[in-house]
Amino acid sequence: MKSFIIILLMACPLFGQVIKGPVTEAEYKLWGTMDSNQLSDYGNWMSYSVRYESGKDTLFVRHTKSLKSYAFAGGADGRFAKEDFFVCRGTDGGISWQNLKSGRQQTYTEISNYTIALEGSMLLLLKNGNGGGGDLLGIGADGKVVLTIPKVTLFSLSPDSNALACDSDGKLRVIDLKVLKTVVLVDEVARDYRQIAWQSNGSSFAYLTDGTVGYFSLSEKKEYKFDRNRFPNFPKEALVCGASVAELAVSDDGKRIFFGIKEKEPTVEPTGVQVWNTADKILYPARAALKDWTVRPKLGVWFPELQQFRMVTDAQFPYQQLLPGQEWALLCNPIFNEPQFNRDASIDYYLQNSTTGQSKLILQKFSDDQNKIGISGAGRFIAYFKDKQWWLYDVKSDTRRNLTSHTGQSFTEEKYDRSGEEKVSGIAGWTQDDKEVLVYDTYDIWLLRTDGSPAVRLTRGREEKTVYRLVPRNAYTSLRSSDSGVLHLNDGLLLEAVSDTKSGYFTWTAGKGLQKLVYESNRIGGIKRSLNGVIVYTKEHYHLSPQLVVQYNINKKKVLYQSNPQQKNYQWGFSKLITYENSKGKVLHGALFYPAGFDADKSYPMVVYIYERLSDFYNQYVNPSLLNGEGFNISNLTAQGYFVLLPDIAYEEGKTGQSALDCVTAAVDEVLANESVDPKRLGLFGHSFGGYETNFIITQTNKFVTAISGSGMADFISSYLAVGNKRPNGWRYEFNQSRMGVSLFDGFQKYLDNSPITFAKQIQTPVLLWSGDADGQVDYYQSIEFHLALRRLQKPNVLLLYEGEDHVLMKREHQVDLTHRTQEWFDYYLKGGVKPDWLMPDRL
């Protein structure tokens, strides 16, 4: 793979620079998307990539002070090794090892896998093999090959990256990378090795071969092999396997080996008859897919020294999560409390001793919401949210403690307004030795002490209407750490802050509290932080294409990279946050985008895009593009002379459609009273739940000249009684987004009153419908129903069905097609454009 050096020069401004006007479709291809990747350990280098729809992507590495840069065409999977080396993969399968200080580059071809060892001092490359494995190469900092191991198919680094376990010609060995020699040959017999897993301290590892499991203790230099024939409790006709739900693992103490077991699936003779019984726990399609839970791999545990084995999961408890330390496992059966009528049943959680197999029920009929339960970093506690409080369960003492009753604070999400149970924002993390757990309320972060001492609110977001959230360590640094999930309060915390108009980052320390890093009226995100305090983050607004900014302190910062610099050559729109009230007096916001080249003396058409709450998008940059999975693009529309409005909607349970109508019309009226928008040229656009809202709104008002509705519901009754993803669809109405709050049979009139199909006769608005005929979220027959109703009523309507597409269009040709058609539809109805051929009726 070739690379080249770029020296960024500060160009002088061009006098008399000509603005070309709004961007056109032919120029969309000039726009790229920047991705922030990694900051080197001491903040001298930053990697980022720029992706184009043409596929001509480039990975860059730039010095944060001199701006010296390296570019890797088609580069991906880039990583820093120490401070002066960078490695990445090319489009041809090769690997580039770049010396950032000297500029020297080595390229290695036909590489199937790579990793960095010895804390960045060595690059390990596995070359492609021809069935028998390839050479594993160790590359030193000077680019020279210092280690060659032939015929390798599998390798794994120890946790400290100083040792390597690998097979060579089918024989498993351990190599000390510091001295570059084999220290242990595990087995003289050649085997087909599939997986390797290290003990957390690196003193042993387990391996998976074709059909069995082995364990090797480095301290004892002793190998143990699992023999299924010695254990009558090993499931008959089952196979040892590697699976994401039952991973190969060694316990922290090295005494237990966990691995996956795949049972034989039962043979079912086809009868040609499906039996659906209302007393069944789950619907027939889901039951048939489970095959008595045999399709899900189970977890077994083996005690090599004791030569004992037992199953951790089985058909009774098919789901598990090992607690840190692996002494305990949390078990459940997600369908035990079926049948019920929410999307998922409540859960009975059992705690199992992984050594004895004894289990006890610790939470009964508990919420299936994973934000309401969390396991401590050392595995001593389980925190859970119940009865509007955070509780703590002590695993060892089998006792419970309420952590929040004395605070007087609600920890539910106040902005969540769907039907069903209240939501929480969850757990931020646990401190060292499980002394504290940090949890969120709607705005703030609370420190709850596990010994029952008074809670402490770390932030003051509620007063400022600012939401503070913890930035996890692995999100801002690439450094490996054995306790990366543990919070060290003495080192401080990195927090993200977001309000209605601002965003940014703060640090929190016990001594100083909150200290601002960056917080401004732009969208700030993607922070990376080095060991010496250098930070890099992205900055954007609708009128500002994303920048990469490096900051050394609060007063010293600069732009490291400006994406899409060509934007300055074109007229571009801008945005603002509007405020309005619905008929209930609730204050809401909306994101309003102005046409490119806006002239206050002119009158413009406007497209209103709706869903639930969308005002957060007001400061997000949007590339113009034809590749839109919903056919909607803000920048396309503003470039074509449209205002675009994204209003927030607040809901009243049982009045879902009416709430959308109320809030959307209030937002539109606010814009009409203050902006140069032509009230006779308003368009409405919605997809999914927004498609439903669009369908409903046009049955109640003629405010909109035209509308486009994608994958939307039309009939609450038929949709309630449909099957989606092997589940009854009614949960969406009783417990979730459709916000009915009651069953169809306890609120039949509500369902009628919120169904667009009920009022189809009142529609005067031409509407374009579209859906994918493989939609797993909203049955495309909802669109067909609406189309047939409008056809019978002789209302103007066109339905587009995209073959093989799901809820959002994924095929490029379909994305382009839909984008063109939505554009032509709005141009025809809102601008008086030419009627496209596809709107003409057939002439059969």
Side-chain angles (χ1 to χ4, degrees), residues 324 375-381 392 427-439 445-451 458 470 483-493 508:
I375 299 170
S376 65
R380 179 181 172 184
F381 301 110
L392 192 73
I427 296 173
W430 298 79
T431 62
Q432 195 172 16
D433 298 324
D434 291 354
K435 290 181 179 179
E436 296 101 358
V437 56
L438 275 63
V439 302
I445 303 174
W446 290 74
L447 185 146
L448 310 178
R449 296 185 174 94
T450 56
D451 65 3
L458 302 185
L470 181 75
D483 65 347
S484 60
V486 176
L487 305 178
H488 297 271
L489 295 184
N490 292 335
D491 297 337
L493 304 173
W508 178 93

Side-chain angles (χ1 to χ4, degrees), residues 1 69 196 206 227 235 264 334 351 386 416 479 493 573 616 646 714 727 764 793 802:
M1 177 174 57
S69 296
I196 296 172
D227 182 1
K264 182 180 180 181
L351 193 64
K386 190 173 184 179
Y416 184 83
L479 291 174
L493 304 173
D616 288 349
L646 277 59
R727 288 183 173 92
Q764 300 298 320
L793 294 166
Y802 287 91

